Amino acid sequence: MQERIFKNDHNIHYTGAVHEVLKHKKNRGLNFYDASDSITIFHTGYSKKEVERKNKSERNLNLLFKELRKKPNDLLTLFYIGESMMVDTSFQDALPYLQKARKMLQNSRFKTHPLLYKIFCDIFICMLRLNEDMETFKKTYEQAQILDKECPDFHFYMGKKLFTAGQYDDAIEFYDKCFKYIGTYKYSFESKVLPQMNNIYEELLDLYIITENPQKIVQTSITLLRVNKFHYKSLYILTKTLKEAGESQAVISHVLFSIYSKTSLKDQLYILRVVETLALNQLYDKVLNLLTEDERTQYIQYKEQENKDL
C-alpha cells in the first residue's frame, strides 16, 4: 500500500482507528504549512466494486466504535462516527454523536477550533435531512452565531431551512447574508457550501421567482449565465422575465448579446432555441440572419424534420 503522506520526522505518527490523525509522540504542537501551490493530489476514491467488497463504511464504524469503547469521551472519534454515519445516510444515528462532540468542544479551551465549524455544518445537514423543527434549528443557528457571526455556511443552512419551511422572504435574507460574506471570508475549515455555489444561486433564483421579484430574477439569472452561459434554465428565465416586463426585443437582444457571442454558432443556436420557444419572432429572425447561409439552411431543415417527427 502506498503511503499518502511521507514522514521525515520519526517523532510524528498517525493516531486513530480510521482517519490517521498526525500527532507528535511527545505531544508537542505541530507546525502546518500550506503547500497547495506546490503539490497536486489526485484522489480517485474507491470503485463501486471495491466499496462493495470491503464494505468500507461498516468496517470504519466497527473500528471507530472499538476506539470509542477504549476512549468513551474522545472528541475526534465521536466526530468521525457522526461523519461516517452521514456517509451512510444514517442522519438520525449521526446526530447524537455530533451533538456530543459539539458540546465537548464548546466546553473546552478550544471553543473556536476549526473542527467546531465542521461539526456545526454537519449538524445542520443532519437536521435538514431529518426535517428538524424550526425552533430547534434556530437555537442551533444561534449557538453557531456565538462562534462566528460572519460564517457564510451558517447563514446558508439557516436560509435553506426557511426555504424548505416556505418562509421565502426570510430565506432570501439569509441567502443574502451568505453571499455578503462569502467573497471575503477566510475559511479555516473545509466548507461544504463553497463547492455548490452555483446550486445556491439557482435556489436563490427560485426564491425570487416564488416571491415575484423581476429585478432580482434578471440579476441572478445573469450572474448564473456569467458562470455558465449554457445553463438553459437561467437563459430561459432571463428572457421570459424581460419579455413579461414589457422590454422590447431590441433591449432583450442587447442583454443577451452582452453574455453571448454573435460569432459563435453554439451561442447563436442556444439563443435561437429560447427566443423561438418564447415567440420572440423579430429577435429570432435577427439571430437566424447571423448564421451563414449553409448553417441557416441546415438549421431550418433540422427544425422542419423535428416538427415532422412530432
Side-chain angles (χ1 to χ4, degrees):
M1 180 183 290
Q2 287 185 319
E3 286 189 31
R4 287 167 291 174
I5 298 174
F6 292 90
K7 298 180 293 185
N8 63 1
D9 187 333
H10 70 277
N11 286 312
I12 297 174
H13 65 111
Y14 294 115
T15 62
V18 176
H19 292 264
E20 296 103 343
V21 177
L22 285 172
K23 282 191 175 180
H24 197 283
K25 286 183 178 179
K26 298 179 181 178
N27 289 323
R28 294 178 183 171
L30 299 179
N31 292 320
F32 294 94
Y33 299 95
D34 184 358
S36 56
D37 291 337
S38 306
I39 299 173
T40 301
I41 299 174
F42 295 95
H43 175 59
T44 56
Y46 294 86
S47 68
K48 186 175 180 181
K49 288 182 180 179
E50 186 72 2
V51 171
E52 289 173 352
R53 185 177 74 80
K54 291 185 175 182
N55 201 350
K56 188 170 184 290
S57 177
E58 184 178 346
R59 168 188 168 274
N60 283 357
L61 281 169
N62 287 337
L63 289 169
L64 287 166
F65 281 123
K66 183 178 178 181
E67 186 84 358
L68 191 64
R69 284 193 290 271
K70 292 189 284 184
K71 296 183 285 184
N73 291 313
D74 185 72
L75 188 151
L76 280 175
T77 304
L78 290 166
F79 167 68
Y80 290 138
I81 288 174
E83 285 227 316
S84 295
M85 286 179 167
M86 287 178 69
V87 170
D88 222 16
T89 67
S90 300
F91 300 104
Q92 188 76 57
D93 296 329
L95 199 51
Y97 290 97
L98 294 168
Q99 293 283 30
K100 185 174 180 180
R102 174 186 64 80
K103 289 175 183 176
M104 288 177 63
L105 198 49
Q106 282 182 306
N107 293 328
S108 74
R109 60 190 177 93
F110 303 108
K111 57 183 65 178
T112 59
H113 194 281
L115 180 61
L116 188 53
Y117 288 79
K118 291 188 68 174
I119 293 172
F120 265 117
C121 289
D122 283 348
I123 289 171
F124 285 134
I125 291 168
C126 289
M127 286 182 162
L128 285 167
R129 296 296 292 266
L130 295 169
N131 197 23
E132 190 68 76
D133 67 90
M134 184 64 74
E135 184 180 353
T136 303
F137 202 100
K138 283 184 175 178
K139 284 181 179 177
T140 305
Y141 171 77
E142 288 164 3
Q143 290 169 344
Q145 288 293 280
I146 295 171
L147 173 64
D148 191 336
K149 292 184 182 297
E150 296 185 0
C151 179
D153 300 47
F154 299 162
H155 299 310
F156 165 70
Y157 290 122
M158 189 67 244
K160 181 80 169 179
K161 176 62 179 177
L162 291 162
F163 190 174
T164 58
Q167 299 179 33
Y168 303 123
D169 289 325
D170 291 335
I172 289 171
E173 180 184 340
F174 282 93
Y175 276 69
D176 284 344
K177 283 184 180 180
C178 172
F179 289 121
K180 174 184 177 182
Y181 293 115
I182 205 156
T184 56
Y185 188 77
K186 295 181 179 179
Y187 278 94
S188 61
F189 67 101
E190 182 184 358
S191 170
K192 293 179 181 177
V193 169
L194 271 176
Q196 53 174 330
M197 286 308 299
N198 279 5
N199 294 334
I200 297 171
Y201 266 111
E202 287 184 43
E203 290 178 15
L204 185 58
L205 178 59
D206 290 337
L207 282 166
Y208 288 137
I209 292 169
I210 292 168
T211 55
E212 300 179 349
N213 189 330
Q215 183 178 357
K216 290 293 187 179
I217 292 171
V218 169
Q219 290 176 359
T220 309
S221 298
I222 290 174
T223 298
L224 281 162
L225 290 169
R226 296 285 185 202
V227 176
N228 176 16
K229 63 181 176 179
F230 300 116
H231 189 265
Y232 181 80
K233 175 185 173 183
S234 299
L235 175 58
Y236 177 84
I237 289 171
L238 170 62
T239 311
K240 181 173 181 285
T241 304
L242 290 170
K243 179 185 177 183
E244 290 176 348
E247 297 292 352
S248 68
Q249 294 191 37
V251 169
I252 296 173
S253 173
H254 176 75
V255 173
L256 296 185
F257 282 112
S258 70
I259 302 168
Y260 295 88
S261 169
K262 289 184 178 181
T263 58
S264 165
L265 179 60
K266 185 175 180 180
D267 287 17
Q268 294 160 355
L269 294 176
Y270 229 72
I271 294 176
L272 279 173
R273 180 183 171 193
V274 169
V275 298
E276 183 180 21
T277 303
L278 293 169
L280 293 166
N281 299 328
Q282 292 176 14
L283 184 51
Y284 176 82
D285 290 340
K286 177 181 178 179
V287 179
L288 193 63
N289 286 328
L290 292 173
L291 275 60
T292 66
E293 187 174 344
D294 286 343
E295 290 168 348
R296 191 159 53 247
T297 301
Q298 289 178 25
Y299 179 76
I300 292 170
Q301 289 174 346
Y302 165 76
K303 293 302 296 182
E304 289 173 347
Q305 185 60 49
E306 187 179 50
N307 291 333
K308 285 180 183 178
D309 292 341
L310 293 175

